[in-house]
Amino acid sequence: MRQRPLRSTAGGNLPSELGRFIGRGGELAQLGRLLESSRLVTVTGVGGVGKSRLVLAAARAAAEGSQERYCDGVRLAELAPVRDPALLELTLAEALQLTDHTTRPPRTVLAEHLAGKRLLLVLDGFEQLVDECADLVRELLRRCPGLRVLAAGRRPLALEGESTFPLAPPPPEEALGLLVARATAADPAFAVTAENRAALVELCARLDGIPLALELAAGRLRTLSPEQVLARLEDRFALLTGGVRGGLARHRALRTAIGWSHELCTPAERLLWARLSVFAGQFDLDAVEYVCAGPDLPVEDVLDLVGELLDQSLLIREETPAGVRFRMLETVRVYGAGWLESLGDAGRLRRRHRDWYLGLATWCELDWFSPRQQEVAALVEVELPNVRLALECCLDEPDEAHLGQYLAGTLWFYWAGCGRLTEGRHWLERTLEPVDQAVEYESSRLKALWVLGYVAALQGDAAASMSALYECRDGAAQSGNPVAAAYAVHRMGCLALVSDDMARARELLGTALEQYRAAGELNSNVLMCQVELGMALAFLGDVPGALALCGEVREICEERGERWTKAYALYVLAYAALDAGRTQEARRLLIECVAINHVFHDLVGLVLALELLALVTVAEGDASEAAVLQGAAEPMWGGVGLQLFGSGYFNAPRLMCREQAGELLGAERYAAYEAEGRELSREALVGRALSSPEERAGAGGVPRQAGRLRGPRVPSSRAAADQP
């Protein structure tokens, strides 16, 4: 399974602090003490009181000061954008950078991954899924003794052993310091004077010191004096707190602050605010212009309006791997969503949002077969919360199931190429549930079916894969869709390949390749079919045939800038080079292969390349380093899929490496180096794999063996592949 603000890479994925953390020293110390004594600490409080910032500050302090307790890092899962309970476990898996290609329940994968870890898991914004989140946290804490959880929400999880930390607004002097600091950041000329101090103190008191309210007020101090801000707040107070009988004063103050900011906006700014509430997480300007513009909000005005909302602290600007993005604080977004509902325009805006992401997915699929593959992967990763919303929108309307099938099918490259098999299968199966739909939408259903068959095959679920692919093949024959038929036959061949039926794989993949060429189809899928046919030929002993096919794929990929399929072609070419005893060439090919697979989080390609690289390392004479690589790669098989894990052909390099390195090192030393490898993180493993033997020796790494081996012959017969 698997950027938001810029994230640190050491010890976790915590976002960088965008502004100076002000005050809260006592609360921070108390929270730290609670974390030492309790495995579950939940910070509660009204929206806007500063729960998220306090929790993140505590998490950073824990990461820096408790290296032994949290030796496996600190990981943040942002849950506020998650509405579907089925995505809760997937979101946590993403936060933990888990990639799993099996059919195991995500909860099982999480528990097994965390079972031996000493890690702090931070959960922010869980209140919309409090029951599901509580159930998951209970199970993870029960099964993972080294896990601690720090959560932030408007209510506790109500679990046994939970320590609740109610967060109140800061005291008056601290609130004033926050207001002044934020106002100075917005306008360096701002200063506290004898004339305005009393008004600033009163403003803090009227807003009950709630940090979000103070930050919104600070944005207004760029253009208004403190006295003017107070006057406007007084004008709006009764209007915006009416009807909250018995409500907490802090709730009224927060609503006052946000409502007051809303009233101070121009009509166009208010309208944009409301329409922006249809986005989840981060979004870019192009999406805003398409979704939100209209006759009453000209597209040429949107950029300036976004700037105004930024100036008023109603939007936040963030740098991501996919470029500049904007987001709203959840409290601000919910307020805007209420206004959008009151305008009666929510349904239309949701559909426009859906249409934008349908178009974005279409463009990304086309651009995947280009030099921009890495950018496409980063873009979909950042836009995933919005893609999920678009899929939900499709599922909400029975007559629009075909749009969901189209969107889920179009994202095949992300599900299969970027380590998202479990989530991809979730959406594909949901969109395929309606079986009766208009004939004109049959192509969308056929695409979703072959993608589902592909995903299930990679997960090792042969029954589900064949069911989907047979349905796709038969439907393609009935509707006269030769392209869908080719994809169905191709993925049947892929399933045969990972199931060790090489003769059938050769037949089906060859047929699919002919059908693709007859239909004029050329993309990453077609090239992957050619690579998979090359694999089948190599395993059957036809190494020259495999070289010809994969050499051609490599040339096309380099011409088109395609990297994902190229990595698999490099794997086959390295296999052939090693078979011929050309270890230096094999290493060079595999280093490039590992680097590409790591970029795309492709666990299948990565583990295969690493194990072949371990065998190359034995051939170079460095049995100890080979054992380290093998030890690090072996646990990854648990997330690849049982069918592939049991493959005699794909696992032959692993078995040969274990045998040959074990002979050189002896069982005890081999086990020690293998154990060392199992302790490596994936980042460390990849860094080690990409280093040359000379670099490892120069860095004082594992010493190379004195003797050198003749290049091993990779098994090419079924008998060799079936060795125990």
Side-chain angles (χ1 to χ4, degrees):
M1 289 181 283
R2 301 261 20 338
Q3 285 217 29
R4 301 138 180 75
L6 293 176
R7 299 192 184 278
S8 64
T9 57
N13 65 337
L14 300 178
S16 302
E17 183 65 60
L18 297 177
R20 185 167 61 92
F21 186 70
I22 297 171
R24 299 291 199 189
E27 290 95 333
L28 197 55
Q30 187 178 350
L31 192 55
R33 289 192 293 271
L34 272 180
L35 271 175
E36 291 179 2
S37 60
S38 176
R39 294 182 60 212
L40 171 60
V41 179
T42 304
V43 178
T44 62
V46 65
V49 79
K51 301 183 296 296
S52 296
R53 296 193 79 162
L54 179 66
V55 160
L56 288 174
R60 291 188 190 95
E64 294 168 2
S66 302
Q67 298 287 347
E68 183 176 348
R69 172 168 292 165
Y70 306 121
C71 56
D72 291 302
V74 179
R75 308 298 302 184
L76 167 66
E78 296 166 326
L79 302 180
V82 181
R83 296 292 181 268
D84 183 354
L87 299 178
L88 177 61
E89 286 114 339
L90 293 173
T91 303
L92 262 64
E94 176 188 2
L96 293 167
Q97 291 186 312
L98 286 182
T99 304
D100 188 77
H101 285 194
T102 72
T103 57
R104 296 178 299 169
R107 181 170 300 202
T108 300
V109 175
L110 285 169
E112 290 181 0
H113 173 76
L114 293 170
K117 297 287 193 298
R118 303 185 69 179
L119 179 140
L120 177 63
L121 178 61
V122 183
L123 306 178
D124 188 17
F126 61 80
E127 46 272 336
Q128 75 284 2
L129 295 171
V130 64
D131 292 335
E132 295 85 357
C133 192
D135 182 61
L136 177 58
V137 169
R138 180 191 298 110
E139 182 171 349
L140 292 178
L141 288 173
R142 180 177 59 83
R143 297 177 60 180
C144 311
L147 174 67
R148 290 176 186 250
V149 176
L150 176 59
R154 299 191 187 187
R155 55 180 292 185
L157 288 167
L159 294 176
E160 182 180 357
E162 178 180 23
S163 294
T164 303
F165 187 90
L167 184 62
E173 282 303 313
E174 203 168 282
L176 178 61
L178 175 62
L179 176 65
V180 171
R182 298 298 184 244
T184 304
D187 179 9
F190 179 84
V192 181
T193 65
E195 291 76 19
N196 67 15
R197 182 179 176 84
L200 290 170
V201 170
E202 184 179 353
L203 180 58
C204 292
R206 295 298 299 275
L207 296 177
D208 275 355
I210 295 179
L212 175 60
L214 296 175
E215 298 210 14
L216 292 171
R220 284 299 176 185
L221 289 173
R222 293 184 62 206
T223 52
L224 301 174
S225 69
E227 294 79 9
Q228 288 174 313
V229 169
L230 271 175
R232 287 175 178 266
L233 183 60
E234 178 67 26
D235 291 343
R236 305 301 176 187
F237 191 90
L239 172 65
L240 293 173
T241 57
V244 192
R245 191 179 304 278
L248 295 175
R250 289 195 295 273
H251 287 193
R252 294 197 299 272
L254 178 64
R255 180 167 175 79
T256 298
I258 298 178
W260 160 70
S261 286
H262 187 269
E263 289 298 309
L264 287 176
C265 288
T266 65
E269 291 166 1
R270 289 181 217 157
L271 186 58
L272 181 58
W273 178 352
R275 291 179 177 177
L276 287 173
S277 69
V278 301
F279 289 97
Q282 300 167 326
F283 46 88
D284 67 3
L285 182 62
D286 289 339
V288 173
E289 289 176 336
Y290 177 86
V291 174
C292 301
D296 48 356
L297 196 64
V299 67
E300 58 268 20
D301 295 346
V302 168
L303 175 58
D304 289 338
L305 292 171
V306 166
E308 291 297 326
L309 295 180
L310 280 168
D311 289 342
Q312 298 171 56
S313 302
L314 295 167
L315 277 183
I316 297 172
R317 180 186 184 275
E318 296 177 340
E319 294 282 351
T320 77
V324 173
R325 288 291 186 278
F326 306 99
R327 69 175 175 91
M328 278 185 164
L329 293 175
E330 184 66 9
T331 308
V332 175
R333 190 199 67 78
V334 169
Y335 191 95
W339 275 90
L340 189 62
E341 289 288 348
S342 71
L343 294 172
D345 207 18
R348 184 184 70 87
L349 264 294
R350 284 192 71 203
R351 289 189 294 272
R352 284 189 66 81
H353 175 276
R354 174 206 64 200
D355 292 346
W356 171 260
Y357 287 98
L358 282 168
L360 183 71
T362 301
W363 175 84
C364 286
E365 182 187 33
L366 293 171
D367 225 30
W368 181 256
F369 190 47
S370 80
R372 292 176 294 280
Q373 263 186 340
Q374 188 171 342
E375 289 85 346
V376 168
L379 175 60
V380 180
E381 185 81 8
V382 168
E383 295 286 11
L384 187 57
N386 284 301
V387 170
R388 290 168 172 167
L389 268 189
L391 284 161
E392 288 287 356
C393 183
C394 297
L395 291 166
D396 287 344
E397 299 292 334
D399 294 339
E400 295 184 347
H402 64 283
L403 294 177
Q405 292 163 3
Y406 173 82
L407 180 53
T410 297
L411 290 168
W412 66 266
F413 61 90
Y414 186 62
W415 312 135
C418 301
R420 289 284 189 172
L421 293 180
T422 304
E423 178 158 357
R425 185 164 179 178
H426 166 79
W427 290 114
L428 289 159
E429 289 179 338
R430 286 190 64 189
T431 60
L432 284 165
E433 285 173 2
V435 294
D436 297 324
Q437 64 185 43
V439 174
E440 61 265 31
Y441 302 134
E442 180 67 6
S443 61
S444 294
R445 183 172 179 81
L446 294 176
K447 185 169 189 175
L449 282 167
W450 73 253
V451 176
L452 175 59
Y454 182 25
V455 166
L458 292 178
Q459 289 185 308
D461 190 346
S465 178
M466 289 306 296
S467 176
L469 293 173
Y470 276 128
E471 185 177 350
C472 178
R473 186 195 63 182
D474 295 345
Q478 292 174 8
S479 61
N481 190 328
V483 174
Y487 279 102
V489 174
H490 172 190
R491 296 311 169 190
M492 289 177 185
C494 175
L495 180 60
L497 182 72
V498 299
S499 302
D500 274 4
D501 190 348
M502 293 303 154
R504 179 165 171 76
R506 177 177 57 187
E507 176 188 351
L508 290 170
L509 293 168
T511 299
L513 202 55
E514 292 174 1
Q515 292 175 335
Y516 281 140
R517 289 168 178 165
E521 192 86 346
L522 179 61
N523 53 35
S524 297
N525 276 301
V526 176
L527 294 180
M528 187 63 80
C529 180
Q530 190 164 330
V531 171
E532 289 163 349
L533 179 57
M535 286 183 182
L537 293 179
F539 290 143
L540 290 170
D542 184 3
V543 175
L547 278 173
L549 286 171
C550 293
E552 181 182 12
V553 169
R554 182 185 185 182
E555 291 177 4
I556 295 173
C557 287
E558 290 176 348
E559 178 185 332
R560 298 290 188 118
E562 210 277 4
R563 299 176 65 204
W564 175 64
T565 308
K566 179 185 175 183
Y568 283 88
L570 294 175
Y571 172 82
V572 179
L573 294 173
Y575 182 103
L578 184 57
D579 183 71
R582 301 191 302 273
T583 55
Q584 288 187 341
E585 179 185 349
R587 169 173 289 279
R588 178 175 51 80
L589 293 165
L590 286 169
I591 282 178
E592 186 177 358
C593 181
V594 166
I596 295 171
N597 285 319
H598 183 56
V599 164
F600 292 115
H601 309 294
D602 188 338
L603 191 60
V604 174
L606 182 60
V607 69
L608 289 174
L610 285 169
E611 292 201 331
L612 193 58
L613 183 61
L615 187 55
V616 169
T617 307
V618 172
E620 293 171 333
D622 198 343
S624 52
E625 180 66 15
V628 171
L629 291 176
Q630 185 60 61
E634 191 158 342
M636 295 169 64
W637 278 108
V640 168
L642 295 179
Q643 283 280 0
L644 202 54
F645 179 71
S647 166
Y649 288 100
F650 285 103
N651 283 303
R654 173 172 60 92
L655 299 174
M656 293 183 68
C657 176
R658 177 183 295 169
E659 177 185 353
Q660 296 181 20
E663 287 178 358
L664 283 171
L665 296 170
E668 187 175 343
R669 291 182 66 208
Y670 179 86
Y673 284 122
E674 195 176 46
E676 178 186 337
R678 281 195 292 271
E679 295 300 315
L680 292 176
S681 68
R682 193 174 301 172
E683 290 285 344
L685 168 61
V686 170
R688 191 156 184 160
L690 298 183
S691 64
S692 67
E694 293 73 23
E695 289 170 333
R696 290 197 305 274
V702 181
R704 298 181 62 189
Q705 300 299 311
R708 293 185 60 82
L709 295 178
R710 184 169 175 265
R713 304 292 292 180
V714 180
S716 56
S717 68
R718 181 58 194 249
D722 284 340
Q723 61 183 297

mmCIF file with all atom_site columns, all heavy atoms in Angstrom, residues 67-82:
data_model
loop_
_atom_site.group_PDB
_atom_site.id
_atom_site.type_symbol
_atom_site.label_atom_id
_atom_site.label_alt_id
_atom_site.label_comp_id
_atom_site.label_asym_id
_atom_site.label_entity_id
_atom_site.label_seq_id
_atom_site.pdbx_PDB_ins_code
_atom_site.Cartn_x
_atom_site.Cartn_y
_atom_site.Cartn_z
_atom_site.occupancy
_atom_site.B_iso_or_equiv
_atom_site.pdbx_formal_charge
_atom_site.auth_seq_id
_atom_site.auth_comp_id
_atom_site.auth_asym_id
_atom_site.auth_atom_id
_atom_site.pdbx_PDB_model_num
ATOM 1   N N   . GLN A 1 67 ? 15.153  8.915  20.923 1.00 0.00 ? 67 GLN A N   1
ATOM 2   C CA  . GLN A 1 67 ? 15.638  8.067  19.834 1.00 0.00 ? 67 GLN A CA  1
ATOM 3   C C   . GLN A 1 67 ? 15.516  6.586  20.172 1.00 0.00 ? 67 GLN A C   1
ATOM 4   O O   . GLN A 1 67 ? 15.230  5.759  19.310 1.00 0.00 ? 67 GLN A O   1
ATOM 5   C CB  . GLN A 1 67 ? 17.106  8.410  19.532 1.00 0.00 ? 67 GLN A CB  1
ATOM 6   C CG  . GLN A 1 67 ? 17.334  9.843  19.069 1.00 0.00 ? 67 GLN A CG  1
ATOM 7   C CD  . GLN A 1 67 ? 16.855  10.076 17.644 1.00 0.00 ? 67 GLN A CD  1
ATOM 8   O OE1 . GLN A 1 67 ? 16.574  9.128  16.934 1.00 0.00 ? 67 GLN A OE1 1
ATOM 9   N NE2 . GLN A 1 67 ? 16.750  11.322 17.242 1.00 0.00 ? 67 GLN A NE2 1
ATOM 10  N N   . GLU A 1 68 ? 15.728  6.236  21.459 1.00 0.00 ? 68 GLU A N   1
ATOM 11  C CA  . GLU A 1 68 ? 15.659  4.832  21.835 1.00 0.00 ? 68 GLU A CA  1
ATOM 12  C C   . GLU A 1 68 ? 14.218  4.351  21.857 1.00 0.00 ? 68 GLU A C   1
ATOM 13  O O   . GLU A 1 68 ? 13.892  3.283  21.343 1.00 0.00 ? 68 GLU A O   1
ATOM 14  C CB  . GLU A 1 68 ? 16.308  4.634  23.198 1.00 0.00 ? 68 GLU A CB  1
ATOM 15  C CG  . GLU A 1 68 ? 16.334  3.167  23.642 1.00 0.00 ? 68 GLU A CG  1
ATOM 16  C CD  . GLU A 1 68 ? 17.067  2.987  24.952 1.00 0.00 ? 68 GLU A CD  1
ATOM 17  O OE1 . GLU A 1 68 ? 17.742  3.947  25.389 1.00 0.00 ? 68 GLU A OE1 1
ATOM 18  O OE2 . GLU A 1 68 ? 16.936  1.908  25.541 1.00 0.00 ? 68 GLU A OE2 1
ATOM 19  N N   . ARG A 1 69 ? 13.324  5.163  22.451 1.00 0.00 ? 69 ARG A N   1
ATOM 20  C CA  . ARG A 1 69 ? 11.922  4.741  22.551 1.00 0.00 ? 69 ARG A CA  1
ATOM 21  C C   . ARG A 1 69 ? 11.271  4.668  21.186 1.00 0.00 ? 69 ARG A C   1
ATOM 22  O O   . ARG A 1 69 ? 10.464  3.774  20.908 1.00 0.00 ? 69 ARG A O   1
ATOM 23  C CB  . ARG A 1 69 ? 11.147  5.708  23.440 1.00 0.00 ? 69 ARG A CB  1
ATOM 24  C CG  . ARG A 1 69 ? 9.643   5.457  23.455 1.00 0.00 ? 69 ARG A CG  1
ATOM 25  C CD  . ARG A 1 69 ? 8.964   6.224  24.551 1.00 0.00 ? 69 ARG A CD  1
ATOM 26  N NE  . ARG A 1 69 ? 9.359   5.709  25.861 1.00 0.00 ? 69 ARG A NE  1
ATOM 27  C CZ  . ARG A 1 69 ? 9.155   6.354  27.003 1.00 0.00 ? 69 ARG A CZ  1
ATOM 28  N NH1 . ARG A 1 69 ? 8.599   7.550  26.989 1.00 0.00 ? 69 ARG A NH1 1
ATOM 29  N NH2 . ARG A 1 69 ? 9.521   5.819  28.146 1.00 0.00 ? 69 ARG A NH2 1
ATOM 30  N N   . TYR A 1 70 ? 11.597  5.617  20.308 1.00 0.00 ? 70 TYR A N   1
ATOM 31  C CA  . TYR A 1 70 ? 10.992  5.649  18.980 1.00 0.00 ? 70 TYR A CA  1
ATOM 32  C C   . TYR A 1 70 ? 12.061  5.397  17.926 1.00 0.00 ? 70 TYR A C   1
ATOM 33  O O   . TYR A 1 70 ? 12.240  6.189  17.004 1.00 0.00 ? 70 TYR A O   1
ATOM 34  C CB  . TYR A 1 70 ? 10.300  6.995  18.745 1.00 0.00 ? 70 TYR A CB  1
ATOM 35  C CG  . TYR A 1 70 ? 9.300   7.341  19.828 1.00 0.00 ? 70 TYR A CG  1
ATOM 36  C CD1 . TYR A 1 70 ? 9.437   8.503  20.587 1.00 0.00 ? 70 TYR A CD1 1
ATOM 37  C CD2 . TYR A 1 70 ? 8.228   6.496  20.100 1.00 0.00 ? 70 TYR A CD2 1
ATOM 38  C CE1 . TYR A 1 70 ? 8.522   8.815  21.577 1.00 0.00 ? 70 TYR A CE1 1
ATOM 39  C CE2 . TYR A 1 70 ? 7.315   6.796  21.092 1.00 0.00 ? 70 TYR A CE2 1
ATOM 40  C CZ  . TYR A 1 70 ? 7.470   7.956  21.836 1.00 0.00 ? 70 TYR A CZ  1
ATOM 41  O OH  . TYR A 1 70 ? 6.564   8.247  22.822 1.00 0.00 ? 70 TYR A OH  1
ATOM 42  N N   . CYS A 1 71 ? 12.777  4.291  18.101 1.00 0.00 ? 71 CYS A N   1
ATOM 43  C CA  . CYS A 1 71 ? 13.891  4.016  17.195 1.00 0.00 ? 71 CYS A CA  1
ATOM 44  C C   . CYS A 1 71 ? 13.407  3.737  15.772 1.00 0.00 ? 71 CYS A C   1
ATOM 45  O O   . CYS A 1 71 ? 14.195  3.798  14.825 1.00 0.00 ? 71 CYS A O   1
ATOM 46  C CB  . CYS A 1 71 ? 14.718  2.850  17.717 1.00 0.00 ? 71 CYS A CB  1
ATOM 47  S SG  . CYS A 1 71 ? 13.783  1.337  18.007 1.00 0.00 ? 71 CYS A SG  1
ATOM 48  N N   . ASP A 1 72 ? 12.122  3.408  15.602 1.00 0.00 ? 72 ASP A N   1
ATOM 49  C CA  . ASP A 1 72 ? 11.578  3.198  14.259 1.00 0.00 ? 72 ASP A CA  1
ATOM 50  C C   . ASP A 1 72 ? 10.851  4.427  13.724 1.00 0.00 ? 72 ASP A C   1
ATOM 51  O O   . ASP A 1 72 ? 10.159  4.349  12.707 1.00 0.00 ? 72 ASP A O   1
ATOM 52  C CB  . ASP A 1 72 ? 10.639  1.989  14.258 1.00 0.00 ? 72 ASP A CB  1
ATOM 53  C CG  . ASP A 1 72 ? 11.404  0.686  14.467 1.00 0.00 ? 72 ASP A CG  1
ATOM 54  O OD1 . ASP A 1 72 ? 12.298  0.407  13.654 1.00 0.00 ? 72 ASP A OD1 1
ATOM 55  O OD2 . ASP A 1 72 ? 11.126  -0.028 15.436 1.00 0.00 ? 72 ASP A OD2 1
ATOM 56  N N   . GLY A 1 73 ? 10.985  5.555  14.419 1.00 0.00 ? 73 GLY A N   1
ATOM 57  C CA  . GLY A 1 73 ? 10.509  6.815  13.872 1.00 0.00 ? 73 GLY A CA  1
ATOM 58  C C   . GLY A 1 73 ? 9.182   7.290  14.418 1.00 0.00 ? 73 GLY A C   1
ATOM 59  O O   . GLY A 1 73 ? 8.550   6.674  15.274 1.00 0.00 ? 73 GLY A O   1
ATOM 60  N N   . VAL A 1 74 ? 8.768   8.424  13.898 1.00 0.00 ? 74 VAL A N   1
ATOM 61  C CA  . VAL A 1 74 ? 7.490   9.063  14.218 1.00 0.00 ? 74 VAL A CA  1
ATOM 62  C C   . VAL A 1 74 ? 6.760   9.282  12.911 1.00 0.00 ? 74 VAL A C   1
ATOM 63  O O   . VAL A 1 74 ? 7.304   9.893  11.986 1.00 0.00 ? 74 VAL A O   1
ATOM 64  C CB  . VAL A 1 74 ? 7.701   10.398 14.952 1.00 0.00 ? 74 VAL A CB  1
ATOM 65  C CG1 . VAL A 1 74 ? 6.365   11.056 15.256 1.00 0.00 ? 74 VAL A CG1 1
ATOM 66  C CG2 . VAL A 1 74 ? 8.498   10.192 16.234 1.00 0.00 ? 74 VAL A CG2 1
ATOM 67  N N   . ARG A 1 75 ? 5.527   8.773  12.798 1.00 0.00 ? 75 ARG A N   1
ATOM 68  C CA  . ARG A 1 75 ? 4.783   8.857  11.547 1.00 0.00 ? 75 ARG A CA  1
ATOM 69  C C   . ARG A 1 75 ? 3.446   9.554  11.776 1.00 0.00 ? 75 ARG A C   1
ATOM 70  O O   . ARG A 1 75 ? 2.754   9.295  12.766 1.00 0.00 ? 75 ARG A O   1
ATOM 71  C CB  . ARG A 1 75 ? 4.509   7.464  10.973 1.00 0.00 ? 75 ARG A CB  1
ATOM 72  C CG  . ARG A 1 75 ? 5.713   6.567  10.821 1.00 0.00 ? 75 ARG A CG  1
ATOM 73  C CD  . ARG A 1 75 ? 6.752   7.078  9.874  1.00 0.00 ? 75 ARG A CD  1
ATOM 74  N NE  . ARG A 1 75 ? 6.245   7.306  8.533  1.00 0.00 ? 75 ARG A NE  1
ATOM 75  C CZ  . ARG A 1 75 ? 7.002   7.691  7.505  1.00 0.00 ? 75 ARG A CZ  1
ATOM 76  N NH1 . ARG A 1 75 ? 8.296   7.884  7.682  1.00 0.00 ? 75 ARG A NH1 1
ATOM 77  N NH2 . ARG A 1 75 ? 6.468   7.879  6.321  1.00 0.00 ? 75 ARG A NH2 1
ATOM 78  N N   . LEU A 1 76 ? 3.112   10.439 10.873 1.00 0.00 ? 76 LEU A N   1
ATOM 79  C CA  . LEU A 1 76 ? 1.868   11.216 10.944 1.00 0.00 ? 76 LEU A CA  1
ATOM 80  C C   . LEU A 1 76 ? 0.870   10.712 9.921  1.00 0.00 ? 76 LEU A C   1
ATOM 81  O O   . LEU A 1 76 ? 1.190   10.559 8.743  1.00 0.00 ? 76 LEU A O   1
ATOM 82  C CB  . LEU A 1 76 ? 2.162   12.700 10.671 1.00 0.00 ? 76 LEU A CB  1
ATOM 83  C CG  . LEU A 1 76 ? 0.955   13.604 10.403 1.00 0.00 ? 76 LEU A CG  1
ATOM 84  C CD1 . LEU A 1 76 ? 0.077   13.720 11.646 1.00 0.00 ? 76 LEU A CD1 1
ATOM 85  C CD2 . LEU A 1 76 ? 1.417   14.980 9.921  1.00 0.00 ? 76 LEU A CD2 1
ATOM 86  N N   . ALA A 1 77 ? -0.361  10.454 10.376 1.00 0.00 ? 77 ALA A N   1
ATOM 87  C CA  . ALA A 1 77 ? -1.474  10.126 9.481  1.00 0.00 ? 77 ALA A CA  1
ATOM 88  C C   . ALA A 1 77 ? -2.507  11.228 9.604  1.00 0.00 ? 77 ALA A C   1
ATOM 89  O O   . ALA A 1 77 ? -3.106  11.430 10.669 1.00 0.00 ? 77 ALA A O   1
ATOM 90  C CB  . ALA A 1 77 ? -2.089  8.780  9.850  1.00 0.00 ? 77 ALA A CB  1
ATOM 91  N N   . GLU A 1 78 ? -2.727  11.968 8.514  1.00 0.00 ? 78 GLU A N   1
ATOM 92  C CA  . GLU A 1 78 ? -3.690  13.068 8.502  1.00 0.00 ? 78 GLU A CA  1
ATOM 93  C C   . GLU A 1 78 ? -5.047  12.510 8.074  1.00 0.00 ? 78 GLU A C   1
ATOM 94  O O   . GLU A 1 78 ? -5.248  12.147 6.910  1.00 0.00 ? 78 GLU A O   1
ATOM 95  C CB  . GLU A 1 78 ? -3.212  14.166 7.557  1.00 0.00 ? 78 GLU A CB  1
ATOM 96  C CG  . GLU A 1 78 ? -1.912  14.805 8.028  1.00 0.00 ? 78 GLU A CG  1
ATOM 97  C CD  . GLU A 1 78 ? -1.248  15.656 6.956  1.00 0.00 ? 78 GLU A CD  1
ATOM 98  O OE1 . GLU A 1 78 ? -1.351  15.292 5.761  1.00 0.00 ? 78 GLU A OE1 1
ATOM 99  O OE2 . GLU A 1 78 ? -0.631  16.674 7.304  1.00 0.00 ? 78 GLU A OE2 1
ATOM 100 N N   . LEU A 1 79 ? -5.981  12.441 9.004  1.00 0.00 ? 79 LEU A N   1
ATOM 101 C CA  . LEU A 1 79 ? -7.248  11.750 8.773  1.00 0.00 ? 79 LEU A CA  1
ATOM 102 C C   . LEU A 1 79 ? -8.397  12.684 8.447  1.00 0.00 ? 79 LEU A C   1
ATOM 103 O O   . LEU A 1 79 ? -9.482  12.212 8.085  1.00 0.00 ? 79 LEU A O   1
ATOM 104 C CB  . LEU A 1 79 ? -7.607  10.913 10.014 1.00 0.00 ? 79 LEU A CB  1
ATOM 105 C CG  . LEU A 1 79 ? -6.571  9.871  10.429 1.00 0.00 ? 79 LEU A CG  1
ATOM 106 C CD1 . LEU A 1 79 ? -7.048  9.123  11.663 1.00 0.00 ? 79 LEU A CD1 1
ATOM 107 C CD2 . LEU A 1 79 ? -6.286  8.903  9.291  1.00 0.00 ? 79 LEU A CD2 1
ATOM 108 N N   . ALA A 1 80 ? -8.220  13.985 8.585  1.00 0.00 ? 80 ALA A N   1
ATOM 109 C CA  . ALA A 1 80 ? -9.330  14.912 8.354  1.00 0.00 ? 80 ALA A CA  1
ATOM 110 C C   . ALA A 1 80 ? -9.964  14.761 6.972  1.00 0.00 ? 80 ALA A C   1
ATOM 111 O O   . ALA A 1 80 ? -11.190 14.849 6.849  1.00 0.00 ? 80 ALA A O   1
ATOM 112 C CB  . ALA A 1 80 ? -8.872  16.358 8.581  1.00 0.00 ? 80 ALA A CB  1
ATOM 113 N N   . PRO A 1 81 ? -9.192  14.527 5.885  1.00 0.00 ? 81 PRO A N   1
ATOM 114 C CA  . PRO A 1 81 ? -9.844  14.394 4.566  1.00 0.00 ? 81 PRO A CA  1
ATOM 115 C C   . PRO A 1 81 ? -10.540 13.052 4.348  1.00 0.00 ? 81 PRO A C   1
ATOM 116 O O   . PRO A 1 81 ? -11.230 12.883 3.343  1.00 0.00 ? 81 PRO A O   1
ATOM 117 C CB  . PRO A 1 81 ? -8.670  14.540 3.574  1.00 0.00 ? 81 PRO A CB  1
ATOM 118 C CG  . PRO A 1 81 ? -7.514  15.038 4.361  1.00 0.00 ? 81 PRO A CG  1
ATOM 119 C CD  . PRO A 1 81 ? -7.731  14.540 5.745  1.00 0.00 ? 81 PRO A CD  1
ATOM 120 N N   . VAL A 1 82 ? -10.359 12.090 5.264  1.00 0.00 ? 82 VAL A N   1
ATOM 121 C CA  . VAL A 1 82 ? -10.880 10.734 5.040  1.00 0.00 ? 82 VAL A CA  1
ATOM 122 C C   . VAL A 1 82 ? -12.328 10.661 5.516  1.00 0.00 ? 82 VAL A C   1
ATOM 123 O O   . VAL A 1 82 ? -12.621 10.930 6.681  1.00 0.00 ? 82 VAL A O   1
ATOM 124 C CB  . VAL A 1 82 ? -10.023 9.691  5.780  1.00 0.00 ? 82 VAL A CB  1
ATOM 125 C CG1 . VAL A 1 82 ? -10.556 8.283  5.513  1.00 0.00 ? 82 VAL A CG1 1
ATOM 126 C CG2 . VAL A 1 82 ? -8.562  9.799  5.350  1.00 0.00 ? 82 VAL A CG2 1
#
